[in-house]
């Protein structure tokens, strides 16, 4: 592995999330500087910032793209207890020439009483639905019934998890064999409710979400959670970032006819567990085909995990910061990427950012 | 072959890890984004590194050399698939073999070019990149070779193994160098690699050469020479099948079993107990899996293991047996990994190729022939191909349509329709909605067309609207739009009676939305005011009843007084025109032509 390119994101504070759009041609970054920036990849392979605007009155924790079937739509969530939906407006022709685009706020979701810790769009086959979770322990599912009018969103479901929530993940499967399913992770240190991962399933009859499973073996705070792409399997795979990396296999059990109205029962198995980070794991994420899992831990590393033909997992790659400070000379060394055109341009941007950082640092 | 569990060496991310300790990441198409961050949300924070880094996991496969390889091998691959269908099975095999050899030579040519580049380049990182690419291609060539020998150039029983052995020897040439080194040393028997060389030669089935090296040992130790003589005899009497000879396979098999039993007896009798190296060799001759596995340093690859094991357990194996062997011994890690490797090889090629923007179409062909997961992977990957231009979108669509990937078709069309609508290109948006079979969206766009017409007085995208054909039936609103445009066309061509008939039917068949009836009736005015009578008596009565039906509905409360005035004026005008027309029509129809 090697670093092919470094982009100076130019946020004035910590970056908390970076999100690619569906096709990998656009990118959104969000920061404690309360803004979101959108980057577009040109035909020349270079990334350019095409929009930068203040989105919240607190740190922006996450930013995420809706499926392109719904247009160019972003959602963000923040410490300021709100989540927001943004849509790109096709601008004037001179805007296009300057390479700028405009994003306008379509709605603000203000139901949470505490910091909103995660925001995710539901799988597209469910329509345009947005989900948030908060430190107040509530998962909220909103829907935009008219996809042409993104200023109208209605709160369809409120799921009370009894524990402060840190992360959510929708099961991406669009198979009719599986009703909509969402996993919620909690970083609460509460001991009474010790299972920190809850799985809720939609019931067609009651038209509500009901709890299907609590993973009782996950008792430590959970920081991230993610379902793997389904690939036509009958079972579900869920990766969890907690005091280690854990991958669970959830096998739906066949319903007895008497009990067909309740949520699905699952057989829960641990597929893998990795403690190589030797510390808290903060993020986990599957690649598109679920052949690789990446995790990020307190050890400052990103690790890549792959299973072989016998479902034995091993670490196939590690990324780690080189611990060098951000400054003028540091950048010159950093941008030794192979054949990067416009590297000189990036260097200029980099050094000015470096100076800015130097100003912010105490002493 | 068990892989040693060693952690890979970390790739370092520049200027990260100093101000803030965590690395955030995001998966991209073929790459990984990483950035410095801090996941502990509480507590004091200082700013972090402002950089977002793009990390490539696979080497840059977009180099021109590899691109040439992919293109050439793709041609061969496609040609191969064609032959499978076209030719009678008799002639196929020789074609396959030559294609296979052709393919391998293409790979080898590419490897040589890469190797040259690796040697000549000044830049260290570039050289190691090239080096890595060479290793990948080497692995591909080796696996391909194995598959060629096993599945394509399917030799008859007996010779198959000889082919496999040839190939192992070809690719494990370091043994010769080591053997030479040992033999040329002052005291070969005491050379540290002595036994490694002997065992390596045995593993490759080169028993005569093994004997030659062993003889160096025998001459030294007189007291143990009997043991060495015994081993020499075993090696000397090992039957090797000669495909051109007169011996039949059955005869060979009998001889071989006899010899095998002899080896086994030596083990049972502890003949070689005094020398652990000879004991090891004897166990190898008997085909003991564990012992052979222990030699993994010398074997170094799982396919070498496979060939060696076959040599000493099933020397008469035929390719179909191999399949059976593979199925029966499904838990055998070696065979599992062979199958897995084959699939993964194709799959990894696909993913790498997918990433390279212009080569994604090659990937599709490969995915098609990926067993098991090919279709699912294709579905996942094809959705992510950026739809930069209409032309590219159409190419991707055709691929999906050919494979009945209806959901992907719908999704791509919807994305394109939405994009066109955002940019106010109504005609394009409508085309894409029709292709997506998205009735709701088609309705929406039709409404926009009609709104435009009401505002501007004319239609855009006439070509499209005039040629909708059966697609018109996708949604009621779209049907109306198409028919309404047809009305205007007929009028423009002075085909008044046809136009009149159509206009009326739009209302009576309830195709037209109520909100547009006034507009339609107003469109009827010029037809009513023609010198000749166009609407018949019956038709006029129908128009009148439509007008009355319209007026009998509840008044629109949002209408201003001015609007109401305009509406009632229009109604009056229409009533007058209709009455006049009725009179003329009655007269016309009542008159007998003389």
């Amino acid at each position: 592995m090697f670093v092919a390119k470094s982009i100076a994101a130019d946020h004035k504070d910590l970056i908390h999330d970076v999100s690619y759009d569906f096709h990998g041609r656009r990118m959104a970054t969000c920061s404690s500087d309360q803004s979101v920036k959108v980057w577009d990849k040109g035909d020349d392979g270079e990334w350019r910032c095409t929009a930068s605007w203040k989105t919240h009155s607190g740190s922006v924790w996450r930013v995420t793209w809706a499926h392109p079937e719904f247009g160019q739509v972003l959602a963000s969530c923040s410490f300021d207890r709100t989540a927001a939906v943004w849509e790109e407006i096709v601008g004037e022709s001179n805007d296009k020439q300057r390479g700028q685009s405009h994003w306008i706020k379509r709605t603000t979701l203000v139901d949470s009483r505490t910091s909103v810790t995660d925001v995710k769009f539901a799988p597209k086959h469910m329509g345009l639905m947005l989900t948030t979770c908060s430190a107040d322990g509530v998962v909220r599912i909103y829907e935009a019934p008219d996809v042409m009018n993104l200023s109208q969103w209605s709160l369809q479901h409120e799921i009370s998890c009894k524990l402060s929530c840190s992360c959510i993940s929708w099961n991406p499967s669009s198979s009719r064999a599986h009703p909509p399913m969402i996993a919620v992770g909690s970083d609460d240190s509460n001991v009474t409710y010790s299972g920190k991962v809850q799985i809720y399933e939609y019931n067609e009859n009651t038209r509500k979400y009901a709890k299907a499973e609590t993973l009782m073996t996950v008792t430590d705070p959970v920081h991230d959670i993610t379902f793997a792409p389904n690939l036509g399997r009958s079972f579900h795979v869920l990766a969890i970032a907690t005091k280690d990396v854990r991958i669970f296999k959830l096998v739906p059990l066949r319903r007895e006819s008497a009990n067909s109205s309740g949520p699905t029962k699952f057989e829960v198995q641990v597929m893998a567990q990795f403690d190589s980070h030797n510390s808290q794991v903060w993020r986990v994420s599957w690649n598109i085909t679920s052949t690789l899992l990446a995790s990020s831990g307190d050890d400052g590393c990103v690790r890549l995990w792959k299973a072989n033909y016998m479902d034995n997992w091993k670490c196939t790659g590690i990324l780690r910061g080189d611990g060098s400070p951000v400054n003028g000379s540091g950048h010159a060394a950093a941008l030794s990427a192979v054949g990067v055109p416009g590297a000189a341009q990036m260097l200029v941007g980099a050094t000015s950012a470096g100076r800015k950082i130097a100003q912010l640092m105490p002493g | 072959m068990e892989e040693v569990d060693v952690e890979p060496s970390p790739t370092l991310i520049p200027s990260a890890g100093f101000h803030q300790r965590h690395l955030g990441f995001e998966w991209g198409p073929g790459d990984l984004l990483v950035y410095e961050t801090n996941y502990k949300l509480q507590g004091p924070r200082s700013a972090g590194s402002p950089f977002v880094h793009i990390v490539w996991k696979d080497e840059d496969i977009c180099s021109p050399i590899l691109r040439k390889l992919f293109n050439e091998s793709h041609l061969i691959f496609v040609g191969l698939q064609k032959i499978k269908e076209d030719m009678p099975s008799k002639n196929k095999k020789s074609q396959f073999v030559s294609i296979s050899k052709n393919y391998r030579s293409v790979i080898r040519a590419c490897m040589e070019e890469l190797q040259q580049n690796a040697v000549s380049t000044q830049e260290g990182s570039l050289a190691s990149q090239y080096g890595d690419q060479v290793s990948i291609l080497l692995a591909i060539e080796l696996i391909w070779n194995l598959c060629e020998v096993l599945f394509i150039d399917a030799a008859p029983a007996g010779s198959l193994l000889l082919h496999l052995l040839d190939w192992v020897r070809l690719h494990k040439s370091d043994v010769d160098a080591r053997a030479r080194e040992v033999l040329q040393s002052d005291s070969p028997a005491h050379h540290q690699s002595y036994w490694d060389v002997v065992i390596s030669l045995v593993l490759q089935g080169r028993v005569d050469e093994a004997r030659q090296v062993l003889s160096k040992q025998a001459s030294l130790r007189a007291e143990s020479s009997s043991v060495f003589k015994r081993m020499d005899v075993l090696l000397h009497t090992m039957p090797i099948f000669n495909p051109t000879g007169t011996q039949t396979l059955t005869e060979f098999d009998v001889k071989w079993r006899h010899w095998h039993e002899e080896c086994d007896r030596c083990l049972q009798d502890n003949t070689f107990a005094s020398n652990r190296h000879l004991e090891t060799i004897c166990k190898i001759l008997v085909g003991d899996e564990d012992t052979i596995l222990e030699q993994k340093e010398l074997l170094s690859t799982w396919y070498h293991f496979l060939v060696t094991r076959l040599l000493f357990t099933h020397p008469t194996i035929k390719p179909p047996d191999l399949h059976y062997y593979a199925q029966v011994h499904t838990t055998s890690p070696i065979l599992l990994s062979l199958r897995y490797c084959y699939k993964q090889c194709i799959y990894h090629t696909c993913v790498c190729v997918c990433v390279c923007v212009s080569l994604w179409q090659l990937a599709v062909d490969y995915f098609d022939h990926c067993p098991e997961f090919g279709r699912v992977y294709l579905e996942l990957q094809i959705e992510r191909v950026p739809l930069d231009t209409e032309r590219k979108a159409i190419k991707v669509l055709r691929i999906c349509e050919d494979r009945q990937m209806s959901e992907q078709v719908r999704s791509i069309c919807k994305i394109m329709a939405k994009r066109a609508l955002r940019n106010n290109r109504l005609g394009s948006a409508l085309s894409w909605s029709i292709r997506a079979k998205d009735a709701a969206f088609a309705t929406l766009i039709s409404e926009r067309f009609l709104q435009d017409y009401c505002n501007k007085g004319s239609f855009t995208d006439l070509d499209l609207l005039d040629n909708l054909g059966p697609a018109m039936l996708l949604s009621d609103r779209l049907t109306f739009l198409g028919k309404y445009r047809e009305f205007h066309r007929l009028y423009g061509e002075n085909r008044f009676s046809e136009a009149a008939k159509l206009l009326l039917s739009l209302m009576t068949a309830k195709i037209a939305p109520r909100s547009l009836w006034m507009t339609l009736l107003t469109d009827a005015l010029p037809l009513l005011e023609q010198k000749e009578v166009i609407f018949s008596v019956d038709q006029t009565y129908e128009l009148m009843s439509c007008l009355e039906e319209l007026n009998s509905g509840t008044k629109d409360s949002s209408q201003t007084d001015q609007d109401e005035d305009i509406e009632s004026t229009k109604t009056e005008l229409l009533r007058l025109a209709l009455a006049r027309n009725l009179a003329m029509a009655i007269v016309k129809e009542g008159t007998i032509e003389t």
Side-chain angles (χ1 to χ4, degrees):
Chain A
M1 287 195 282
F2 61 96
V3 177
K5 206 171 278 198
S6 297
I7 305 159
D10 251 351
H11 276 288
K12 298 181 179 59
D13 203 331
L14 256 194
I15 299 172
H16 289 293
D17 198 14
V18 173
S19 180
Y20 264 119
D21 82 331
F22 190 71
H23 292 123
R25 285 289 222 246
R26 312 192 81 180
M27 186 169 76
T29 57
C30 67
S31 158
S32 266
D33 69 3
Q34 305 177 1
S35 76
V36 165
K37 289 178 193 273
V38 172
W39 306 77
D40 280 25
K41 189 174 187 179
D43 292 332
D44 56 355
E46 292 306 306
W47 287 93
R48 287 175 189 83
C49 182
T50 53
S52 173
W53 73 104
K54 181 158 149 49
T55 47
H56 290 276
S57 51
S59 294
V60 188
W61 301 132
R62 305 259 210 176
V63 66
T64 184
W65 295 82
H67 193 277
E69 274 187 40
F70 301 111
Q72 297 299 304
V73 178
L74 279 173
S76 59
C77 69
S78 162
F79 179 73
D80 73 359
R81 307 194 300 272
T82 70
V85 178
W86 311 88
E87 190 173 17
E88 188 183 37
I89 297 302
V90 174
E92 304 294 324
S93 53
N94 55 349
D95 277 338
K96 279 213 189 91
Q97 277 170 9
R98 279 188 297 129
Q100 290 301 302
S101 68
H102 293 284
W103 291 77
I104 66 171
K105 185 189 283 202
R106 286 304 190 196
T107 193
T108 311
L109 305 170
V110 298
D111 304 275
S112 175
R113 279 164 282 135
T114 54
S115 172
V116 183
T117 50
D118 201 359
V119 63
K120 292 265 175 16
F121 283 100
K124 70 168 158 75
H125 68 270
M126 292 171 63
L128 186 53
M129 296 185 77
L130 188 65
T131 322
T132 61
C133 75
S134 307
D136 69 3
V138 181
V139 170
R140 295 179 173 88
I141 304 179
Y142 301 87
E143 184 175 14
D146 179 4
V147 300
M148 293 307 296
N149 180 4
L150 294 188
S151 45
Q152 297 300 323
W153 291 80
S154 69
L155 176 57
Q156 299 282 69
H157 304 276
E158 258 184 326
I159 302 173
S160 183
C161 301
K162 297 191 176 65
L163 292 169
S164 157
C165 304
S166 58
C167 50
I168 43 183
S169 174
W170 282 99
N171 186 338
S173 166
S174 55
S175 154
R176 260 175 257 124
H178 311 130
M181 190 191 299
I182 184 170
V184 185
S186 164
D187 57 355
D188 205 315
S189 46
N190 185 310
V191 179
T192 323
Y193 300 106
S194 53
K196 299 292 190 294
V197 174
Q198 298 172 42
I199 297 174
Y200 292 88
E201 207 184 45
Y202 184 68
N203 186 315
E204 290 292 340
N205 300 326
T206 62
R207 308 250 211 106
K208 285 199 163 69
Y209 281 85
K211 192 186 299 199
E213 189 71 47
T214 304
L215 299 184
M216 296 307 296
T217 55
V218 183
T219 53
D220 298 281
V222 168
H223 307 292
D224 201 8
I225 194 166
T226 173
F227 275 104
N230 186 261
L231 294 184
R233 293 186 291 246
S234 60
F235 58 89
H236 312 295
V237 176
L238 184 63
I240 295 171
T242 172
K243 69 164 197 240
D244 50 26
V245 178
R246 251 175 261 190
I247 305 178
F248 283 90
K249 179 175 177 180
L250 302 165
V251 187
L253 298 171
R254 205 134 33 106
R255 298 170 182 285
E256 305 138 20
S257 52
N259 207 17
S260 58
S261 56
T264 314
K265 293 262 174 281
F266 293 99
E267 182 196 333
V268 179
Q269 301 168 12
V270 178
M271 274 176 93
Q273 197 160 344
F274 321 124
D275 54 11
S276 313
H277 284 289
N278 223 8
S279 54
Q280 291 292 320
V281 183
W282 293 95
R283 282 280 180 276
V284 280
S285 174
W286 296 95
N287 69 347
I288 295 170
T289 45
S290 74
T291 47
L292 284 172
L293 179 71
S295 63
S296 175
D298 236 5
D299 60 349
C301 291
V302 169
R303 284 161 195 273
L304 302 178
W305 309 92
K306 190 177 195 314
N308 72 357
Y309 57 89
M310 306 256 288
D311 267 343
N312 289 331
W313 292 80
K314 70 175 199 134
C315 179
T316 62
I318 304 179
L319 297 167
R320 200 180 69 214
D322 69 356
S324 68
V326 171
N327 59 37
S329 57
H331 296 168
L335 296 173
S336 62
V338 173
V340 175
Q345 191 185 28
M346 274 196 269
L347 268 171
V348 169
T351 34
S352 64
R355 264 184 256 120
K356 276 193 208 142
I357 299 295
Q359 280 162 19
L360 286 167
M361 292 292 289
Chain B
M1 195 114 298
E2 270 169 40
E3 289 149 33
V4 186
D5 249 348
V6 171
E7 270 207 342
S9 49
T11 304
L12 295 176
I13 307 298
S15 56
F18 181 78
H19 301 285
Q20 300 295 340
R21 62 200 287 191
H22 296 138
L23 266 188
F25 66 89
E26 159 83 341
W27 283 108
D31 57 25
L32 197 60
L33 289 178
V34 292
Y35 52 96
E36 190 184 70
T37 186
N38 191 319
Y39 291 114
K40 286 206 165 77
L41 305 179
Q42 279 79 38
R45 259 193 335 268
S46 53
S49 159
F51 287 101
V52 173
H53 308 274
I54 298 176
V55 176
W56 277 84
K57 189 174 198 312
D58 297 305
E59 281 62 32
D60 182 13
I61 52 96
C62 292
S63 77
I65 302 169
L66 280 180
R67 181 186 293 237
K68 198 166 58 158
L69 167 69
F70 279 121
N71 278 313
E72 284 180 32
S73 55
H74 178 248
L75 283 171
I76 295 172
F77 188 85
V78 166
L80 184 68
Q81 305 311 318
K82 274 206 77 198
I83 287 184
K84 256 169 67 176
E85 290 140 23
D86 294 346
M87 298 190 76
S89 40
K90 260 198 304 179
N91 308 334
K92 275 189 203 175
K93 190 173 120 167
S94 53
Q95 280 273 14
F96 283 161
V97 173
S98 71
I99 286 175
S100 176
K101 290 189 166 31
N102 189 9
Y103 183 65
R104 277 193 296 119
S105 65
V106 163
I107 294 181
R108 226 172 293 134
C110 179
M111 264 200 290
E112 276 166 23
E113 209 179 328
L114 282 172
Q115 188 71 358
Q116 272 174 26
N117 277 28
V119 165
S120 63
T121 185
Q122 298 289 353
E123 251 196 81
S125 63
L126 202 57
S128 72
Q129 248 192 80
Y130 282 131
D132 288 337
Q133 286 168 353
V134 170
S135 328
I136 292 173
L137 286 181
L138 190 63
I140 293 174
E141 205 247 332
L142 286 172
I143 293 172
W144 190 266
N145 206 337
L146 176 62
C147 294
E148 178 187 312
V149 170
L150 284 175
F151 307 119
I152 302 171
D153 197 6
S159 347
L160 171 61
L161 197 58
L162 295 176
H163 280 305
L164 291 176
L165 279 171
D166 271 341
W167 164 75
V168 165
R169 289 166 192 169
L170 192 63
H171 289 100
K172 196 107 182 57
S173 49
D174 62 327
V175 175
D176 297 286
R178 279 173 114 193
R180 227 172 306 141
E181 190 191 311
V182 165
L183 289 173
Q184 286 169 2
S185 71
D186 295 327
S187 181
H190 293 120
H191 196 287
Q192 60 172 1
S193 303
Y194 177 77
W195 285 111
D196 280 349
V197 166
V198 176
I199 293 178
S200 297
L201 289 168
V202 172
L203 291 171
Q204 286 191 14
R206 292 155 76 172
V207 286
D208 286 335
E209 290 169 67
R211 284 173 62 212
Q212 219 186 339
V213 181
L214 262 182
S215 66
K216 302 289 175 199
Q217 180 79 237
S219 59
L220 282 179
R221 301 195 208 171
E223 66 275 11
S224 51
S225 64
S226 66
V227 189
F228 281 89
K229 276 212 192 81
R230 197 83 184 77
M231 177 53 73
D232 190 62
V233 166
L234 278 184
L235 291 173
H236 186 53
T237 54
M238 176 173 160
I240 308 273
F241 186 66
N242 182 356
T244 57
T246 50
Q247 189 189 46
T248 67
L249 201 61
T250 325
E251 285 167 5
F252 168 77
D253 198 45
V254 167
K255 260 192 98 180
W256 185 82
R257 279 180 201 285
H258 196 73
W259 172 83
H260 195 264
E261 275 159 35
E262 187 61 36
C263 296
D264 203 30
R265 222 171 298 139
C266 286
L267 276 178
Q268 305 301 331
D269 294 344
N270 288 318
T271 311
F272 299 109
S274 57
N275 186 314
R276 64 180 175 87
H277 296 291
L278 293 179
E279 177 101 346
T280 303
I281 293 174
C282 195
K283 284 189 179 160
I284 292 173
L285 293 180
V286 147
D288 180 57
E289 182 161 342
D290 292 328
T291 313
I292 301 176
L293 266 175
E294 275 167 31
Q295 310 307 319
K296 57 183 169 198
E297 295 298 324
L298 301 176
L299 289 168
S300 76
T301 58
W302 54 264
Y303 46 85
H304 193 335
F305 168 89
L306 175 70
V307 175
T308 300
R309 180 128 156 81
L310 286 174
L311 174 64
F312 295 114
T313 53
H314 291 85
T316 55
I317 197 160
K318 318 189 271 295
D321 288 346
L322 201 57
H323 291 290
Y324 172 72
Y325 191 75
Q327 272 164 28
V328 164
H329 294 84
T330 45
T331 54
S332 161
I334 304 315
L335 289 158
L336 268 181
S337 73
L338 168 62
R339 275 217 307 257
Y340 186 77
C341 219
Y342 169 58
K343 284 188 230 171
Q344 283 292 302
C345 215
I346 296 180
Y347 171 65
H348 277 299
T349 314
C350 299
V351 173
C352 292
V353 168
C354 251
V355 163
C356 189
V357 164
S358 53
L359 294 178
W360 58 271
Q361 286 166 288
L362 303 196
V364 173
D365 284 325
Y366 284 112
F367 269 128
D368 281 339
H369 295 97
C370 227
E372 277 184 67
F373 285 128
R375 166 86 178 198
V376 183
Y377 283 161
L378 181 61
E379 281 174 10
L380 286 172
Q381 297 280 19
I382 200 99
E383 281 188 322
R384 305 274 182 162
V385 174
L387 308 168
D388 306 314
T389 60
E390 293 232 345
R391 236 178 94 228
K392 188 165 180 194
I394 289 170
K395 271 193 202 165
V396 178
L397 265 182
R398 223 171 268 141
I399 290 172
C400 295
E401 281 164 353
D402 285 345
R403 290 159 184 74
Q404 284 93 46
M405 295 173 138
S406 49
E407 170 52 30
Q408 280 70 27
V409 169
R410 189 207 59 78
S411 184
I412 290 166
C413 291
K414 184 65 187 281
I415 293 171
M416 296 304 287
K418 182 86 190 184
R419 192 187 294 175
L421 189 62
R422 276 181 70 224
N423 289 300
N424 234 5
R425 290 180 287 120
L426 293 182
S428 180
L430 186 59
S431 301
W432 284 113
S433 310
I434 290 171
R435 200 154 176 182
K437 299 204 182 54
D438 191 332
F441 215 58
T443 300
L444 208 127
I445 297 167
S446 305
E447 296 264 345
R448 288 277 287 264
F449 264 108
L450 291 164
Q451 256 174 44
D452 264 6
Y453 167 76
C454 287
N455 296 339
K456 292 184 209 153
S458 63
F459 287 106
T460 53
D461 301 285
L462 295 176
D463 264 344
L464 174 64
L465 295 178
D466 286 341
N467 294 298
L468 285 172
M472 215 188 281
L473 301 171
L474 181 62
S475 99
D476 285 344
R477 194 62 90 249
L478 182 59
T479 312
F480 170 70
L481 177 65
K483 290 285 174 200
Y484 191 43
R485 164 63 203 150
E486 196 182 328
F487 162 73
H488 284 274
R489 199 164 38 89
L490 289 170
Y491 187 91
E493 290 168 11
N494 290 352
R495 290 154 70 182
F496 296 128
S497 57
E498 286 171 73
K501 204 162 147 206
L502 178 57
L503 186 66
L504 186 58
S505 72
L506 288 178
M507 282 184 283
T508 54
K510 305 274 191 270
I511 298 174
R514 244 328 173 52
S515 51
L516 283 168
W517 277 18
M518 197 40 119
T519 314
L520 292 180
L521 286 166
T522 317
D523 283 332
L525 267 174
L527 290 171
L528 291 165
E529 284 164 4
Q530 293 275 340
K531 280 218 189 72
E532 350 158 19
V533 172
I534 297 170
F535 285 103
S536 72
V537 169
D538 286 337
Q539 284 175 331
T540 313
Y541 275 131
E542 295 216 55
L543 281 172
M544 284 169 151
S545 83
C546 286
L547 182 60
E548 294 319 310
E549 200 185 319
L550 196 57
N551 280 316
S552 67
T554 48
K555 290 276 174 241
D556 186 357
S557 57
S558 67
Q559 267 192 332
T560 62
D561 283 339
Q562 201 182 27
D563 285 337
E564 266 191 56
D565 276 342
I566 294 173
E567 283 297 297
S568 54
T569 312
K570 271 195 206 162
T571 310
E572 285 309 313
L573 271 171
L574 276 166
R575 283 198 182 123
L576 189 57
L578 283 167
R580 266 208 298 252
N581 193 75
L582 184 60
M584 283 165 58
I586 290 175
V587 168
K588 179 182 173 200
E589 283 170 33
T591 308
I592 300 168
E593 300 284 328
T594 50

